[in-house]
Amino acid sequence: MTAYLDYNATAPIRPEALDAMAAALAEPGNASSVHGPGRRARRLVEEARAKVAALAGVDPAWVIFTSGGTEANNLALRGLPAQRILASAGEHDSVLQAVPEIMLIGLSADGEIDLDALSAALETVPEGSLVSVMLANNETGVIQPVEAVVSLAHAAGAWVHCDAVQAAGKIPFRMIDLGVDLMTLSAHKLGGPPGVGALLASPELPLSALQRGGGQERRRRAGTENLAGIVGFGRAAEIALEELPKLQKLGELRDHFEREIKSLAPGLKVFGGAVPRLPNTSCVAVAGLAAETQLMALDLAGVAVSSGAACSSGKVQPSHVLTAMGASPDEAGSAIRVSLGWASVPEDVERLIAAWGDLYRRSKAA
């Protein structure tokens, strides 16, 4: 049995979400139909919408269901009439590649957005621009100073979009408290099914649909709703909200892992280790020990971790996030990401520590 420690790529589906989806698949109705089966399907969609909204502390009317985080990010960046778009250099590719000519804002060595650089950049763009900054980074787990970003952006007359895909279900937050105008969520990062996500946005926001041809999702996203996926998303969101205290305790396992391997490799670098991070995420590197070598050795030992962003190419390559943090090519090429989640147990981490230790000792003896 593999010790699965790659939750930031995708989390195993929660059994409760799977059961809810199976029941939804048995429903014959289209949620846009007015007959009884259609009304039952509509009720399931709206119940799930309320559960997803509760996870982020917003009104259900703000939830626009999409095919995932990538579509939600594209809808945010391309659906608003933004004059210019600014984004941190550590954003997910679905933000960085959504539109041409994004103005990139650099990161500190700790992985936080450079607020001084953002302030200076906002002085050069017209009102009605858009700033996109994630709540927590998918590779390092670094939590961004979103409230400070909002303060600067709103003072300059700019909207703020927040990709909260990695943070949802791992740390508590409320969209209204953060002050952002749009927020992205995804089901499969918190134990729901892949292929469904949401963009959260006020109904008053001038957001135009990218996908047209129907009136679904209050005319902001056409297409028959993915009933089973949405229901699974809602159930996973409901459980994730209930289990937030449990997820916070993963920080103890994460810290134990970092302490143990640092005792073996004093030169180990923990990216973002000096600033607030998600409790489940560790990105570490030992210069000279290639990430690809580590991934293969750990996989053979029955431990699944990752390097960089799993959805970018399926290949191991230097991370644009770590590069933006000032990591050398050797450091970036040696970095692996360990990410725990709802089903992680201490034995998984002990197995990782043992397997990584064996690999490191072999590399030093070679």
Side-chain angles (χ1 to χ4, degrees), residues 109-196:
D110 289 321
E112 296 178 317
I113 187 171
D114 186 333
L115 294 174
D116 290 336
L118 174 62
S119 179
L122 285 167
E123 292 179 359
T124 70
V125 300
E127 289 190 13
S129 293
L130 172 68
V131 178
S132 184
V133 61
M134 54 179 38
L135 183 49
N137 188 265
N138 50 304
E139 296 185 35
T140 64
V142 169
I143 297 171
Q144 297 296 327
V146 173
E147 295 96 328
V149 170
V150 169
S151 179
L152 292 172
H154 284 179
W159 291 298
V160 179
H161 163 250
C162 181
D163 179 346
V165 164
Q166 289 296 341
K170 296 169 186 170
I171 56 172
F173 64 86
R174 284 167 49 86
M175 182 177 174
I176 191 170
D177 294 335
L178 293 173
V180 300
D181 302 288
L182 308 102
M183 176 175 281
T184 295
L185 302 177
S186 181
H188 76 108
K189 304 294 188 180
L190 46 82
V196 60

Side-chain angles (χ1 to χ4, degrees), residues 30 43 53 103 106 119-120 134 158 165 171-172 192 199 210-211 238 264 285 290 297 325 339 363:
N30 184 315
R43 183 174 65 251
M103 184 181 295
S119 179
M134 54 179 38
V165 164
I171 56 172
L199 180 66
L210 301 183
Q211 186 162 304
E238 182 179 37
L264 296 171
M325 293 170 64
S339 50
S363 73

